[in-house]
Amino acid sequence: MYLCRHSTRFIRPWRYLRRQKSACRVGAVAILAATALIICIDLTGTPDGIFLPESKKLSSIPIYVTDELNHTTTYEGSCSIPRFRSQVGPMDNSCNRRNPSENSCKMADNYTDGQGTPTCGPYTEMCLLKFEDKKRHLHCRQEACPGGVFLLGTFSPNTGSMIWNSFNTAIKLEKRFQKMIHRKDLSIESGIAFIECRVNRTSTTKAANETTCTPQDVGIRADTVVQSQQLLIFPNLTKTIEGISEGTETNLNINILLVDSVSHSHLFRTLPLSLRQLRRIDEDMQHKQYVFNFDRMQSLKPSTHENLQVLLSGQFFELPRVLPFRPTSSALRRRGYGIVWNEDMCWQDEWGLVKYVGLSKEPMSPIRWDKFRAMTSELSVDYSGASLTSCEVLHSNCMDGPFRNSVCYNGRNHDWYLSEYAKQMQSLYQKANKPYFQYTELNVGHTRIEPSIKTLDEDLEAYLKYTSTEDNTVTILFSDHGSRYTQFALIDDDGFMEQFHPFLFVLAPKGLEDLVGISGMKSLAGNQDRLISVLDVHLMLRHLINMSSIAADNSHITKFDFQPRGLLDPIPSDRTCSSLPLFRGTECICDRVSATTKDTQKSSHLVLAEFGLGYLNNQILKSQAKQRRDITRGACRKLIGTAISDVETREVGNRTDVKMRIYTEQGQPLLEPDVISFSFNILWTKSIVRVGWYGPVSFYGKYGHCDNTNANYLFCVCDEKTNSSAAGDSLTLDSFPRAFNLTSTHVTISKCLTILERRHRSGLVLEALNSCHNVTVEFEVRGTTMNVIGTCRLPSRYTIRGNHNLFLGAFLTMGDTEDWLVKYEIASVESYPYANTS
C-alpha cells in the first residue's frame, strides 16, 4: 500500500491520480477513505479484488480513461454504454444497464453520421453594440443596407408582439435606439432588439435568404424583402429582490440547462466538443468547479412536462397539470433570488412555458398574452427576454416550434442567442452580488433527425467554458429523456430503450463542501454509478436553496425511500426501478435478468393485446360520452391493432404479468413517417384478467389538435387534415379491417346489433356494433366457459349508443391447453330511440 497524499478536505481522486501517477505502480486505482486519505493500492497482488474495512470504504469514486489527443472514451467491450469515466473496482450495483447489440451501435452511428450536420449561413453584422462611458451605444453601418431601409423591432410587454419602426439612415436608427435606452422605454426593457435591412420587392428582386413566410405583423414590412437581419442581446437588471435571511449560508446560484430529447448515449455520439470541455473542467485544477456525471439516470417518463414538474416541485401527477413551481419560486424569492426563464419556444404556440401554465389551448387573442404574462408573474419569473426572441426567430424560419429542423437566424443557431442571454444574465447577477435561479430549455434535439443536436455542440462548449468560471454556481446539465421520434428509436429495440436513459452532469463549485460537508461531496461522487431520477436532483436542490421550511410532497419520498438530501446522501446500491415513481408505460433502464420470457408469436399474447386495445377504445368512448350529447363518436379514431413486440412475461406469486408494445393504425393522411404504439401491463390470475397500466410510447403531440376535449388526449388519434374520425359516417361491417391480421366473424342479432367475434388459437374476442344512427341498444351476454379466463363475467349487460362500436371482452385459455370452450348467447335485446338532450 502506498500513501500518496493526506488531506483534510475533499479532493478529486481521479484528478489527483494523474498528477501523482509516478507514486503509484501500474494497475493502481484510487479510493477515497472515510479518513480523507488517498490510497494507492497495487492490484498485481490482489487478483480477487480489493477489500477494505467498512470504516475505510466509500462508494467507488470513478475514473475515466481518455485518449488525450482525440478525447475519446474507452468502452468496456466493442459496443457498450459510453461512460464519462470508467468504473473503479467491482460493480456493487443492482442496476446494470444492458449493453446494446453490435447492429444497434452501427445503426446509431449510421443515422448520426450519415445525414451530415445542419449548418446555418454566414453571419452579417449591420450594427455593433458597445459599452462607452458606462452606457450602451449602437453603431450601425450605412453600407450594410444599400438601397434599402433599416427596421428596428422591439418587444411590446403590453401586447406580446414586436413593434417595428423604419429608418432611412443608420444614424436615425442609432439615435432612436439611444433615446429608447435613455428613457428606459418599456419596449427595450426585455433586452432584445431585431434589426432588419429591407428592400422593396420587385419582380426581379429576391434576397438570398428570402423565404416564403409572411411576417406576422406586416405593416411597414409588407411588399419588402429581407436583405439582412440581426438580433441584439443586451439584458439589464431592472428588478431588485431583497430577500429575508434564512440562515447564515451563502446563497448558491442555481443554473439549470435542459437539453430536451437527447439520451445518454446520443450525447456521447454527437457532442464531442462539449464532452471535451467538461473533461478539461474536470482535469484542470485551475477551474473553479468539479464535474459529476451520473450514468444511470432513469427518466420518469419520456415527456418533458412530467419530468419538469418533479424536478421543480417534487410533485407527481399522472396527467400534466399547471406546473407547480410556485412553492419553489416563493422560497427562492424569500432568499433574494432572481429568477430567469429561457426557452426556444414561442408563447403563441402550444409548447414550453405556455403549456406549463395551462394556456396551450387558449385561443390566440390579446387575452392569451395577458393571461400568460399574469401567470408567469405569479411564478415570480423576473426575466425571460431570451424566450421572447423565439416567436420572431421561428416565424422567420416558417416554423411555429423548433421540433422539425434546426433553427437559424443570421447565420447562428437559435441556441446561441439563448446561451448568450444566459451568460449575460449570469454576469449581471455576479456583478450585483445577487443570487440567481436560471432555467434554460433547448429543444434542438427534439426532432426526427438524429444529427440535429450536433448544431448545439460549439455553442454548448463555449457556454460550459464560461459557466465553469463561476465559483458559487451549481450548474445542472441534463436531459429529460432520449428521443422518441427518430428512425433509430422507432425501429430498433436499443434505440427504443434510449428514450428512458437521459444524461445528467452536475458542475459543482469547490466551495460547495462548506455547505454540504465532506459527506455530501462523497455522496455526489459515489452516486455517479447509482440508479437515480430527477426526484433525487429535486431533493438536492431543496437542500441547496434551503427549502426545509417549505412543505414537500413527501408521499414519494416515504413510499419509495428517497434520501432527504437526494444526491447529497448515499443512494443505496440495491436500488431498483421499483423504488422510483415511474409513470405508466415507462421502461426501466436496468437489465432484467430474472424469470422473464420473451415470445411475440404466442396466440395468447394477441388475445391479451386485443383486450388491451379494446379496454383503451372503451375508455376513449366513455370519456367522450361524459359531455357529448350528439350521436357522433367525436374526433378520436378507433385504435386497430396491427402488431405487437417486446412481450415480457413474468410470474409474480400467483399472478402473471405481461408487458408488451402494441402497434396501431395512425391518422390519415400519413403526412410523416410514424408508428403509433402503446405500452401495456396486463395482469391475470386464475380468475380474472385486468389492465395494470398503459401509456403511449411512440407518438408525439401531432394529434394534440384533435377535437377531443372529453377524451384523454394522450390516446386520441384523428385524421390530421380533417381533424375527425369520419364520425359522421355510418358504421358498417366494412368499417372494420382485419385486427392483428385476423378477420372478424359477423353474427347478426337484430337490425341494429351485430356481434363481431375473432377466434384465436388461444381464445376468443367479442365486440358489438350498433349500425343505427339514432337507436340505443341494450343487451345481455350469457354463456358458459371451460378452461378459459375472462376479462368480463357472464352474464354481463351492455348498453351501446347509435353508430358506436363497443369492446365486450376477451377469453384466454388457461395454460397451453387446446381443449377450451366459450359458448355464449345474446339475450334481452332492447332498442329505443336516442334522445338528444343538448
Side-chain angles (χ1 to χ4, degrees), residues 458-473:
E458 290 186 9
D459 299 333
L460 181 58
E461 176 194 27
Y463 179 73
L464 291 170
K465 182 178 181 180
Y466 171 83
T467 197
S468 67
T469 62
E470 296 189 351
D471 56 6
N472 62 337
T473 300

Side-chain angles (χ1 to χ4, degrees), residues 149-152 163-167 196 198 200 217-224:
V149 295
F150 289 98
L151 268 68
L152 174 64
I163 302 174
W164 293 92
N165 292 282
S166 64
F167 306 91
E196 291 184 348
R198 283 186 170 265
N200 291 329
D217 36 14
V218 283
I220 60 175
R221 302 169 82 189
D223 299 321
T224 59

Side-chain angles (χ1 to χ4, degrees), residues 10 14 59-62 64 81-87 91 93 95 97 262-265 267-268 275 278 282 290-299 311 474-480 500-508 512 516 519-538 540-541 544 565-572 575 589:
F10 177 83
W14 51 88
S59 300
S60 19
I61 304 293
Y64 67 87
I81 302 296
R83 300 169 61 94
F84 188 68
R85 53 176 65 91
S86 60
Q87 174 68 33
M91 173 67 72
N93 200 325
C95 176
R97 181 76 163 88
V262 178
S263 70
H264 173 90
S265 295
L267 169 82
F268 282 81
L275 284 169
L278 287 167
D282 192 54
Y290 302 129
V291 177
F292 300 94
N293 173 230
F294 300 83
D295 60 15
R296 284 171 176 78
M297 176 77 161
Q298 168 73 52
S299 176
L311 173 69
V474 173
T475 294
I476 297 172
L477 171 65
F478 81 111
S479 61
D480 50 346
F500 307 104
H501 188 186
F503 68 84
L504 171 65
F505 286 87
V506 174
L507 280 66
L512 184 62
V516 304
S519 63
M521 301 304 290
K522 287 181 179 179
S523 295
L524 273 175
N527 289 336
Q528 292 177 103
D529 283 309
R530 297 289 185 253
L531 178 65
I532 65 165
S533 74
V534 290
L535 185 52
D536 296 293
V537 183
H538 167 77
M540 176 184 71
L541 289 176
L544 294 180
R565 300 193 304 170
L567 297 178
L568 300 175
D569 288 327
I571 303 296
R575 177 189 272 188
I589 64 172

